[in-house]
Amino acid sequence: MSGHLEISSLTKTFGGLVAINDVTLDFAPGTLSAVIGPNGAGKTTLFNMVTGHLVPTRGSIRFDGEELVGLKPRSIVRRGIGRAFQVANLFGTFTVEDAMAAAVLSHRDKLFDMTSAFPSSEALERAYHVMALVGLSGSKSWRCDALSHGDRKLLDIALALVLEPRILLLDEPTAGMGRDESRVMIERIHRLWESERMTLVFIEHDMEIVFGIAQKVFVLRYGSLLASGTPVEIRKHPQVIEAYLGKAA
């Protein structure tokens, strides 16, 4: 089941710097949305507040009607918000299979259960399901630190997925990839969204990717919301063209 994320009048300041300025966004259940904007627009700061890693200066973040501001990151994850970090390095010497199983057990508070064998059949069942979703089944016996850059990115997403999120946040999932790798990654993300029907929000600089799969696009500039709309609307938005796209896309 997908979740509904509502952000209202959100502001974050660091001393005299306003990183996010009175931003209001609505991510409807089951939608696939992109957040775009120049470097320094506040995109990652926004994700950090949604996941509890930064506390807003003011404003509200509600998930299915429940206020998230003030909750710890672990509590937010348990409510159903997942985020792909570059966490594969934490499991460097683990195989992909064992890293996934460990993440499942940790989420279920069973990682240090000394009465059961590791990994348990229950944990492996969930791990295999997610590995199949993201296309990592063929790499299950590989050590995490031996994976290609693209497969490490997939593992980061898979480690977030085993937490059974209803909203998944992806921060530049194609960063550092070549054109072919990026295309494969986005195809897999789109299939994942179609299969799981979760609410998915991603930050991306590649406009071909954004306009190719996003249902709705939110544009940030200098910490403020410049525009929001469908890809067709954003392509033609005069202020977005001037501030970010540079020309009609």
Side-chain angles (χ1 to χ4, degrees), residues 14 19 79 107 124 129 172 176 180 185 206 211 213 215 229:
F14 298 94
R79 281 162 172 77
H107 180 58
L124 283 176
H129 172 70
E172 296 192 52
D180 290 343
M185 171 64 81
D206 188 323
F211 293 141
I213 68 169
Q215 295 176 315

Side-chain angles (χ1 to χ4, degrees), residues 151-190:
D151 281 350
R152 285 195 186 202
K153 283 279 194 177
L154 286 172
L155 179 56
D156 293 335
I157 294 171
L159 288 168
L161 282 175
V162 296
L163 307 181
E164 302 171 288
R166 288 182 288 136
I167 293 181
L168 180 62
L169 309 178
L170 302 179
D171 194 342
E172 296 192 52
T174 67
M177 295 184 182
R179 176 59 58 184
D180 290 343
E181 268 192 317
S182 294
R183 186 174 62 252
V184 170
M185 171 64 81
I186 289 304
E187 287 173 353
R188 287 178 175 175
I189 288 173
H190 195 257

Side-chain angles (χ1 to χ4, degrees), residues 136-147:
L136 279 176
S137 298
S139 303
K140 66 180 183 180
S141 299
W142 284 58
R143 276 179 40 151
C144 296
D145 58 8
L147 295 173

Side-chain angles (χ1 to χ4, degrees), residues 195-249:
S195 170
E196 298 296 286
R197 282 299 171 183
M198 67 182 69
T199 307
L200 198 153
V201 185
F202 69 101
I203 293 170
E204 182 57 61
H205 285 287
D206 188 323
M207 292 301 98
E208 181 179 340
I209 289 171
V210 170
F211 293 141
I213 68 169
Q215 295 176 315
K216 191 166 185 179
V217 181
F218 298 88
V219 186
L220 297 181
R221 182 181 63 164
Y222 302 132
S224 297
L225 180 64
L226 177 64
S228 64
T230 66
V232 171
E233 291 168 337
I234 294 301
R235 280 179 186 269
K236 298 177 179 178
H237 196 290
Q239 289 177 289
V240 176
I241 293 170
E242 179 183 357
Y244 186 51
L245 298 181
K247 60 181 179 179

Side-chain angles (χ1 to χ4, degrees), residues 19-42:
I20 292 289
N21 183 27
D22 195 30
V23 167
T24 295
L25 309 171
D26 191 310
F27 300 100
T31 53
L32 176 57
S33 303
V35 178
I36 69 172
N39 290 332

